[in-house]
Amino acid sequence: MSEPAMKKLSFLDRFLTLWIFLAMIIGVTLGYFAPWVKDLIDRFQIGTTSIPIAIGLILMMYPPLAKVKYEELPRVFKNVKILAISLIQNWVIGPILMFILAVIFLRGHQGFMEGLIMIGLARCIAMVIVWNELARGDTEYCAGLVAFNSIFQILFFSVYAYIFITVLPKAMGLTQGTAVPITIGQIAVSVFIYLGIPFIAGLITRYSLIKIKDKIWYQEKFIPRISPITLIALLFTIVVMFSIKGDYIVKNPFNVILIAIPLVIYFVIMFFVSYFMSYKMGANYEQSTSLSFTAASNNFELAIAVAVAVFGIGSDQAFAAVIGPLVEVPVLISLVNVALKLKQTWFEAKCFK
């Protein structure tokens, strides 16, 4: 990012990477040295849904979704080329790549392997909105792609889970095949909690305040006031997530690293492959960024919920699913910086040629 652009950023924005790593360290420290914190967080749980994490995610996504110009969403769905790219990236390349990496790195650890495969099947509907916001992607395209993914997730997650966890491993002689009895209704609940609530809040906020005031006041006064909520909620969510598993991370570093290696490779490959595809297809920076972060991110809330519901909270599958967001956060925040650099080297440089 250029020097003038850096000066325009708030103190919180400018040192975001530092704050995120500090939040991770604080979370792990609390989880290991103050186990009562985890016990306190666990009290606020309904089924497999952690209320503190749900609140953090909803607050985190509310400002970006309040910025969306919903009247422009039809433009996104009219762009068949962009939707086709997203469909291929999310529902063909992503699941297959994660399956291959899980088999290569974790074939001797069935539970970890199945947990990793599950992460690859759960396409992102939440955190991507934040990564896209930080990387200055197209908010309308991101919201449209997330809605597109949500529909596919509700309809096809169960089918994909059956193919990639039950059928393929058994056919390849890797496992005996594990049944994953997850219903469309359960997936719909997860989508509503983590996307529906902030989506509805953003929609109501935009149209009600513009009607009461006007668009200029809304964009120039209201949006800047609520924008810091995203980063504050992100840091809060990171502290909570890492404190829940701080003890596991310290006591089982080898298992964490074992799962983290294929995850890091997955996030990086998905990001750069998606970015290159988007760039070559003629997408601009904002569209390419939205497509790439949508493809590289995953719906860890759904992966964790399914792993806990099917295999149990103490299972290797659940452990692998929980490690997913712990790895995704630092890798994706690094890729935010990469995206901003690509804007200068690929797109802005292209404009001056």
Side-chain angles (χ1 to χ4, degrees), residues 138-154:
D138 189 307
T139 53
E140 285 71 49
Y141 267 86
C142 187
L145 294 174
V146 162
F148 188 58
N149 264 346
S150 299
I151 295 168
F152 264 80
Q153 197 150 252
I154 290 170

Side-chain angles (χ1 to χ4, degrees), residues 70-250:
Y70 291 96
E71 61 274 14
E72 295 185 15
L73 280 183
R75 159 179 77 92
V76 178
F77 291 105
K78 284 179 182 176
N79 194 330
V80 177
K81 185 169 68 173
I82 293 291
L83 292 179
I85 294 172
S86 181
L87 184 66
I88 292 169
Q89 291 169 347
N90 281 282
W91 296 99
V92 178
I93 297 174
I96 292 174
L97 175 62
M98 188 68 95
F99 180 83
I100 292 170
L101 290 172
V103 170
I104 291 173
F105 288 93
L106 299 170
R107 64 184 303 159
H109 305 268
Q110 181 180 337
F112 293 161
M113 184 181 76
E114 290 174 343
L116 203 70
I117 292 170
M118 209 170 295
I119 293 172
L121 302 181
R123 311 313 302 165
C124 195
I125 62 167
M127 293 288 281
V128 60
I129 294 171
V130 178
W131 307 135
N132 181 74
E133 170 83 357
L134 296 174
R136 310 290 187 265
D138 189 307
T139 53
E140 285 71 49
Y141 267 86
C142 187
L145 294 174
V146 162
F148 188 58
N149 264 346
S150 299
I151 295 168
F152 264 80
Q153 197 150 252
I154 290 170
L155 295 176
F156 297 112
F157 182 87
S158 302
V159 176
Y160 269 66
Y162 176 72
I163 294 170
F164 283 91
I165 296 178
T166 305
V167 176
L168 284 180
K170 187 176 181 180
M172 295 172 67
L174 299 170
T175 70
Q176 293 301 308
T178 305
V180 185
I182 185 75
T183 67
I184 287 177
Q186 289 171 297
I187 299 166
V189 169
S190 175
V191 170
F192 175 76
I193 292 172
Y194 299 110
L195 177 64
I197 293 174
F199 186 89
I200 293 168
L203 186 69
I204 292 172
T205 300
R206 178 175 176 81
Y207 284 107
S208 61
L209 289 184
I210 286 177
K211 189 174 181 179
I212 294 169
K213 292 282 192 175
D214 55 56
K215 280 188 178 182
I216 296 175
W217 177 88
Y218 185 80
Q219 292 295 138
E220 297 181 3
K221 298 291 183 181
F222 179 72
I223 291 298
R225 287 176 187 170
I226 65 169
S227 291
I229 294 173
T230 293
L231 301 184
I232 294 167
L234 172 62
L235 296 175
F236 166 77
T237 306
I238 290 169
V239 170
V240 172
M241 287 194 307
F242 277 76
S243 64
I244 289 173
K245 288 296 176 182
D247 190 52
Y248 285 97
I249 293 169
V250 174

